[in-house]
Amino acid sequence: MKKVKVSTGILAMAVIALSATSCKDTKKEGNSTDGVQSEHMDDNGHMGDGMDDHSDMDHDNMQSSESMMSTNEHSMMSSKIVGDYLELKNALVADDKGAAAKAGGTMVASLNDFDTSSFPSGQQEELKDIIEDAKEHAEHIEKSPIDHQREHFDVLSKDVIDLIAITGTERTLYQDFCPMYNDSKGAQWLSATEEIENPYYGSKMMTCGSVQKQIN
Amino acid sequence: MKALKVTGWILLVALVGIQFMPTDRNQSDLIPKTDFMVVNDVPKNIESIIKTSCYDCHSNNTDYPWYNKVQPVAWFLEDHVEHGKEELNFNEWDSYSSRRKNSKLKSIISQIEDDEMPLTSYTLIHRDARLSDSEKKIVLDWVSKLKDSL
């Protein structure tokens, strides 16, 4: 009888191990509605609405002409991504891994929603490339410790800078530079305020860095 | 006690049953033109380290261990390899854009530096895949150089 017990136990463990491997991929749904500084919340809420209206319009526009979309409409499309990015940046400034992970998750969703089809075909390839790369970094930020989040944020910042270089943006942004990060190779980031708040070091070196240029 | 016995039998049958379920084996003799070693000028010693320590999960060809014949181990490995290839497939290296290459190299460097790759669960059995400190250093130096040259 004892034998039965033992073998049952072993088999049960095998089954548990099996089922554990199959549910590895459960992804959590990021939601930006809490744990965020109110200033950026307002932006995001507003931008989110804009995006929805916009995607409805898209379909009408597409029938007539793809290139009819104005620069302004293109910049609206990236604004949700920029909003999520700034939220992520603020979380890293605040050394808040949890909030950064959440913002990363929200950003993955915004990147997924980004539709390149209204852009001229010459730009679509690069946009897709940027989006794909950014998505990978945002996904990692969603599930990494804070030092890794910052490493991914470095490359993600480049992606977002390149993205808005194509789409344009309707908001005023500051492109900042921290010379120390990355073994003194330096790293860029975007901020909505002129004051330096360093997302790579957070409270350790809050004011390290300088404004490289103002966008808009 | 009877219930226990019945459960035991059911589980035993299930375990035997799953042995007959097929798995996709990640094996290919083909070395595509996009392979990391084909498009980059990789020194022999570094090629050998990367192939031994990384290619099982990050290429289209896995050198399977004997225990891969046993379920549910095979499923576990299948899932593992699939995920590994999704993150990085050395066979498809040249199909990545420069932006993606840069990101991948950066991740390779950071994962090796932090001893996160190769995975402990992998090196536990594949002792030859472990990276010594000196191996780590030569791989990191070379990969950093490649990244800077992009």
Side-chain angles (χ1 to χ4, degrees):
Chain A
M1 241 6 178
K2 202 176 168 195
K3 236 185 190 165
V4 178
K5 244 186 193 164
V6 172
S7 51
T8 313
I10 292 170
L11 288 166
M13 269 171 3
V15 170
I16 290 164
L18 181 64
S19 50
T21 56
S22 56
C23 45
K24 243 174 60 179
D25 281 284
T26 24
K27 293 216 169 91
K28 72 169 185 190
E29 281 292 321
N31 194 327
S32 61
T33 44
D34 49 38
V36 185
Q37 291 182 14
S38 56
E39 172 202 352
H40 293 289
M41 249 323 287
D42 291 339
D43 288 351
N44 285 339
H46 166 68
M47 299 309 170
D49 294 344
M51 270 303 287
D52 290 342
D53 295 340
H54 188 240
S55 47
D56 287 335
M57 271 162 49
D58 252 12
H59 300 294
D60 303 336
N61 271 3
M62 221 107 83
Q63 263 134 17
S64 49
S65 164
E66 286 184 2
S67 54
M68 280 298 281
M69 282 186 96
S70 71
T71 326
N72 185 39
E73 283 168 321
H74 279 157
S75 71
M76 283 299 290
M77 289 177 71
S78 64
S79 62
K80 175 79 173 67
I81 295 171
V82 173
D84 295 340
Y85 169 86
L86 291 172
E87 200 176 291
L88 167 62
K89 188 265 299 173
N90 288 339
L92 292 175
V93 166
D95 300 313
D96 189 342
K97 175 195 170 267
K102 204 174 233 178
T106 318
M107 198 166 172
V108 172
S110 312
L111 287 161
N112 273 329
D113 288 343
F114 190 88
D115 179 13
T116 56
S117 63
S118 67
F119 288 83
S121 52
Q123 291 179 340
Q124 286 187 17
E125 198 69 10
E126 189 175 359
L127 280 170
K128 277 184 197 150
D129 185 29
I130 293 172
I131 297 289
E132 201 183 340
D133 193 68
K135 216 164 71 184
E136 199 170 299
H137 292 295
E139 276 166 2
H140 279 105
I141 287 170
E142 206 180 346
K143 53 191 179 194
S144 298
I146 196 154
D147 49 334
H148 278 314
Q149 288 180 329
R150 287 181 163 134
E151 282 175 19
H152 288 292
F153 180 75
D154 173 8
V155 194
L156 183 63
S157 294
K158 282 191 201 107
D159 289 340
V160 175
I161 289 169
D162 293 346
L163 175 76
I164 60 171
I166 296 174
T167 66
T169 174
E170 78 283 10
R171 51 195 304 165
T172 301
L173 294 170
Y174 297 88
Q175 185 177 312
D176 300 331
F177 183 73
C178 165
M180 282 181 64
Y181 194 68
N182 228 342
D183 294 325
S184 298
K185 282 182 193 147
Q188 294 168 310
W189 80 92
L190 289 171
S191 166
T193 54
E194 197 172 357
E195 189 193 352
I196 292 288
E197 287 179 320
N198 190 315
Y200 294 106
Y201 291 99
S203 57
K204 259 192 255 166
M205 252 178 290
M206 188 56 87
T207 55
C208 170
S210 58
V211 176
Q212 273 183 328
K213 71 171 181 188
Q214 184 181 338
I215 300 165
N216 292 336
Chain B
M1 227 39 196
K2 202 178 168 196
L4 205 64
K5 217 171 178 175
V6 172
T7 332
W9 273 110
I10 291 171
L11 287 170
L12 185 66
V13 170
L15 193 68
V16 172
I18 61 173
Q19 303 307 324
F20 294 99
M21 295 188 63
T23 43
D24 282 333
R25 288 173 74 80
N26 183 46
Q27 271 174 329
S28 162
D29 291 333
L30 206 77
I31 297 171
K33 284 196 291 265
T34 50
D35 184 66
F36 187 83
M37 304 302 170
V38 175
V39 296
N40 294 304
D41 192 11
V42 191
K44 274 274 160 284
N45 57 339
I46 290 175
E47 173 172 344
S48 141
I49 295 171
I50 293 178
K51 280 193 165 160
T52 312
S53 300
C54 318
Y55 265 56
D56 272 351
C57 298
H58 294 289
S59 81
N60 297 331
N61 190 35
T62 306
D63 189 6
Y64 283 103
W66 63 266
Y67 53 81
N68 185 56
K69 302 262 191 304
V70 188
Q71 293 289 20
V73 179
W75 280 335
F76 177 74
L77 284 182
E78 190 186 346
D79 184 65
H80 213 93
V81 171
E82 195 188 332
H83 184 68
K85 279 167 67 176
E86 213 176 86
E87 291 280 334
L88 166 71
N89 187 338
F90 280 108
N91 284 153
E92 290 168 11
W93 182 255
D94 213 32
S95 68
Y96 299 137
S97 67
S98 317
R99 181 184 301 275
R100 308 268 289 152
K101 281 178 187 157
N102 182 64
S103 287
K104 305 277 179 207
L105 290 174
K106 193 181 160 99
S107 295
I108 292 170
I109 293 168
S110 125
Q111 299 267 310
I112 295 177
E113 257 173 2
D114 297 346
D115 291 321
E116 280 168 26
M117 283 285 158
L119 286 177
T120 323
S121 62
Y122 171 71
T123 50
L124 212 62
I125 292 150
H126 297 81
R127 305 307 282 172
D128 57 337
R130 281 176 305 171
L131 297 179
S132 68
D133 285 348
S134 62
E135 283 172 330
K136 258 172 75 175
K137 194 180 174 310
I138 55 167
V139 171
L140 285 174
D141 285 350
W142 186 80
V143 174
S144 306
K145 248 197 333 217
L146 177 66
K147 182 171 174 291
D148 292 340
S149 74
L150 277 183

